[in-house]
Amino acid sequence: HYTYPSDFPEDLLDVIAKHDNVCKYLDIALQHCTDHMLTIMRRHITCEEQNELIRRIRAKVPNICLRTTLMVGHPGETEEDFEELKEWVRTMRFERMGAFAYSDEDGTYSNLNYQDDVPQEVKQQRVDALMELQATISEEINAQKVGQTLKVIVDREEDDFYVGRTEFDSPDVDGEVLITKTEKLEIGNFYQVKITESDMYDLYGEVTYE
């Protein structure tokens, strides 16, 4: 569920591709994309190596959902680094992505070896810009699911909907599937749900027996 790009366990991809009872979902901690920042952040990987890894993952497991988290405002990050990061996000089109601003943590390598030289307001502007960009990508990816029928597990019942998840949705951090109440559904059971609408983060649908 959560992996690192350096020393990535590639035999795992064969397992995911082969077995239907393994979700086609990976959370992979990438954090940045420029060689300059990957070196400063001691990620032990280059930009091209990251890109090639992502290509291999998507080639070996078609339709896999990739989640990653990116860090902005790390000491040494320039405006050029950030602009390259934005373009990289546009190109990679991660199905799920989060972003956070660097903050000093006592005892960490960055805290001990670098000066926190990016102003807080700049960090927040960069987080906001990345998340705005990802929101557009997420909305486009979700829209492509309208008309599809997906396997959904029901997590809970609310006033107007049953709320569930597909195999591409991690609890508490990803979007949900809001299922129209046309019949009694059992919490914890799987249903085939035809997606009828979408928005930036969630899908909407109804149970189908076709």
Side-chain angles (χ1 to χ4, degrees):
H1 187 256
Y2 190 78
T3 59
Y4 291 90
S6 58
D7 299 320
F8 181 84
E10 297 209 22
D11 54 347
L12 179 65
L13 299 177
D14 296 325
V15 176
I16 297 174
K18 179 179 179 181
H19 296 283
D20 289 338
N21 62 340
V22 179
C23 293
K24 291 178 171 56
Y25 180 107
L26 277 177
D27 189 335
I28 181 167
L30 297 173
Q31 295 205 352
H32 217 286
C33 74
T34 70
D35 287 334
H36 173 232
M37 290 310 303
L38 291 170
T39 299
I40 288 176
M41 296 165 75
R42 305 175 81 218
R43 300 299 294 167
H44 308 296
I45 196 169
T46 67
C47 180
E48 181 51 38
E49 287 169 343
Q50 278 195 164
N51 293 349
E52 180 57 33
L53 173 61
I54 294 166
R55 285 193 286 267
R56 289 199 302 274
I57 291 171
R58 286 175 164 165
K60 285 191 174 184
V61 189
N63 301 320
I64 194 169
C65 177
L66 292 180
R67 163 172 277 283
T68 196
T69 305
L70 305 177
M71 180 192 295
V72 297
H74 186 282
E77 185 185 53
T78 65
E79 191 63 34
E80 290 75 17
D81 286 317
F82 179 65
E83 289 301 319
E84 189 171 333
L85 181 62
K86 284 200 299 183
E87 187 58 36
W88 184 71
V89 168
R90 288 190 189 95
T91 301
M92 289 300 170
R93 292 179 64 82
F94 294 106
E95 287 78 12
R96 312 278 187 261
M97 193 207 80
F100 67 100
Y102 170 86
S103 61
D104 268 333
E105 292 187 19
D106 290 342
T108 63
Y109 182 88
S110 294
N111 171 254
L112 295 173
N113 291 275
Y114 302 127
Q115 180 179 354
D116 189 1
D117 59 356
V118 180
Q120 185 60 41
E121 60 269 23
V122 173
K123 293 178 185 178
Q124 190 58 52
Q125 289 168 0
R126 291 176 180 177
V127 169
D128 293 345
L130 270 190
M131 292 312 299
E132 183 178 350
L133 173 58
Q134 180 60 26
T136 299
I137 294 170
S138 177
E139 190 168 25
E140 291 170 354
I141 290 173
N142 274 355
Q144 295 170 359
K145 294 182 171 66
V146 174
Q148 297 182 18
T149 297
L150 304 176
K151 185 178 182 181
V152 175
I153 187 170
V154 176
D155 286 333
R156 66 186 186 276
E157 180 180 1
E158 296 190 350
D159 290 341
D160 299 322
F161 299 98
Y162 286 100
V163 181
R165 290 173 292 113
T166 71
E167 66 177 298
F168 311 115
D169 303 308
S170 188
D172 301 324
V173 295
D174 292 329
E176 296 174 314
V177 182
L178 307 182
I179 307 168
T180 302
K181 283 187 171 182
T182 57
E183 60 184 280
K184 177 67 176 176
L185 303 183
E186 296 296 327
I187 307 302
N189 282 2
F190 290 95
Y191 295 89
Q192 295 297 315
V193 176
K194 184 171 184 178
I195 305 304
T196 56
E197 296 179 59
S198 68
D199 60 26
M200 199 173 294
Y201 297 113
D202 297 323
L203 302 174
Y204 301 79
E206 52 193 29
V207 171
T208 180
Y209 297 97
E210 296 179 358

